[in-house]
Amino acid sequence: MPAFRYVIADVFTDRPLEGNQLAVFTDARELPEERLQPLAREVNFSETVFVYAAEADGHAQIRIFTPTTEVPFAGHPTLGTAFVLGGPLQLEEIRLETGAGIILVRLEREGARITFGWMIQPVPTVAKYEAADELVAALGVQGSTLPIEVYDNGLQHVFVALGSEEEVAALEPDMTALARLPDVLGVNCFAGSGTRWKTRMFAPNGGVPEDPATGSAAGPLACHVVRHGLVEPETEVQISQGAEIRRPSTLYARVAGSPERIERVEVGGSAVIVARGEFRLD
């Protein structure tokens, strides 16, 4: 009976049992294609990663699955996999091949232990979100203090700016209505100022009612506040997420360029490995 080994990491935290859970199958070469989605559903984290030999200029190729679908890119799976693979390989930088291209992650260490990672994300495209009225109705809010826009860096995220962190914390969205919204995977509601922001992300279309930490949205959030003049380019912002579902997470993001032209997006955070195991499949 074949055994398929996996590692569980908690990402965007330095404390076990917080942050966003991730399962990484470190060698998926012998896993049948038809087993990938059922395994992701069995694990039932917001994402599960399957690792393969590199095909281009990366150290490894990764495929990322939510409980319901495969996605080309996601932030916490990329960062978490960098921690899982970068430790044994003793790398300072690791290049991971994703469906959105090669993502470079720089790893910081204390001795042999990885303590932090910065990933360079794809610069997202941005457009007006045409279903804004339906979105705010599904969220149960009056509107957004900034234009409601959708960003695409391999995943699509729409952003709604609320008046206070307390308003973000009090959200009780209609998940069925959110799942009917067109052309978006993640709905992000945020508030804050300066270098500190609070966000919540809902993705019922991806099988994730609420995400504890969304690395693929952290970069676009930094882009959003820079583009609208709330933060200067090159400023490192701290983003808190996940407290409402008892998985507190801390993400960091910074963008280079200008409000008119974003040139570089980086998202950082910590991760901790909390378990190892194997699946035995007939």
Side-chain angles (χ1 to χ4, degrees):
M1 181 181 296
F4 300 101
R5 295 178 180 176
Y6 64 89
V7 176
I8 294 177
D10 291 336
V11 186
F12 289 117
T13 181
D14 58 4
R15 300 180 60 174
L17 311 183
E18 297 184 359
N20 202 347
Q21 300 154 293
L22 175 71
V24 181
F25 285 81
T26 52
D27 185 354
R29 289 174 296 178
E30 301 301 320
L31 263 170
E33 178 72 20
E34 66 271 15
R35 293 287 199 178
L36 302 183
Q37 189 66 69
L39 273 170
R41 187 168 59 246
E42 176 80 8
V43 173
N44 206 36
F45 295 161
S46 56
E47 278 103 1
T48 294
V49 167
F50 300 94
V51 178
Y52 299 86
E55 293 185 349
D57 192 31
H59 291 95
Q61 178 190 15
I62 63 173
R63 294 177 65 183
I64 304 169
F65 286 76
T66 76
T68 61
T69 191
E70 183 175 6
V71 295
F73 169 71
H76 102 271
T78 303
L79 183 65
T81 302
F83 272 71
V84 170
L85 300 182
L89 295 174
Q90 291 295 297
L91 297 172
E92 294 183 359
E93 294 185 344
I94 186 168
R95 299 183 305 277
L96 297 175
E97 299 172 9
T98 75
I102 295 177
I103 306 297
L104 183 144
V105 184
R106 297 191 309 277
L107 300 170
E108 301 174 5
R109 298 174 182 272
E110 291 180 359
R113 183 174 67 91
I114 302 172
T115 58
F116 199 88
W118 281 103
M119 59 181 146
I120 302 175
Q121 295 190 344
V123 175
T125 61
V126 58
K128 178 182 177 181
Y129 186 59
E130 298 297 340
D133 291 343
E134 295 91 333
L135 173 58
V136 297
L139 291 169
V141 300
Q142 296 300 311
S144 175
T145 62
L146 294 176
I148 296 178
E149 294 173 318
V150 60
Y151 290 73
D152 190 335
N153 60 3
L155 288 180
Q156 289 187 319
H157 288 282
V158 64
F159 290 87
V160 178
L162 301 182
S164 69
E165 294 187 13
E166 291 75 18
E167 190 176 353
V168 174
L171 283 168
E172 295 183 0
D174 181 337
M175 293 294 177
T176 301
L178 286 182
R180 290 198 297 262
L181 292 171
D183 303 326
V184 67
L185 179 63
V187 174
N188 299 264
C189 301
F190 71 97
S193 63
T195 61
R196 292 183 177 269
W197 298 84
K198 175 181 177 63
T199 190
R200 294 175 69 185
M201 196 285 274
F202 309 100
N205 277 333
V208 183
E210 182 167 358
D211 200 32
T214 314
S216 60
L221 174 55
C223 293
H224 198 54
V225 295
V226 166
R227 288 184 57 249
H228 292 288
L230 301 184
V231 173
E232 291 294 320
E234 307 286 357
T235 301
E236 183 179 305
V237 298
Q238 178 179 309
I239 302 164
S240 62
Q241 190 178 344
E244 287 72 23
I245 54 174
R246 300 182 181 180
R247 302 286 307 191
S249 307
T250 305
L251 306 85
Y252 298 86
R254 59 194 180 201
V255 301
S258 67
E260 295 76 25
R261 183 179 178 184
I262 303 296
E263 297 177 351
R264 184 182 178 95
V265 179
E266 294 181 90
V267 172
S270 299
V272 288
I273 294 172
V274 296
R276 301 176 188 271
E278 62 184 25
F279 274 81
R280 293 186 175 271
L281 306 176
D282 290 335

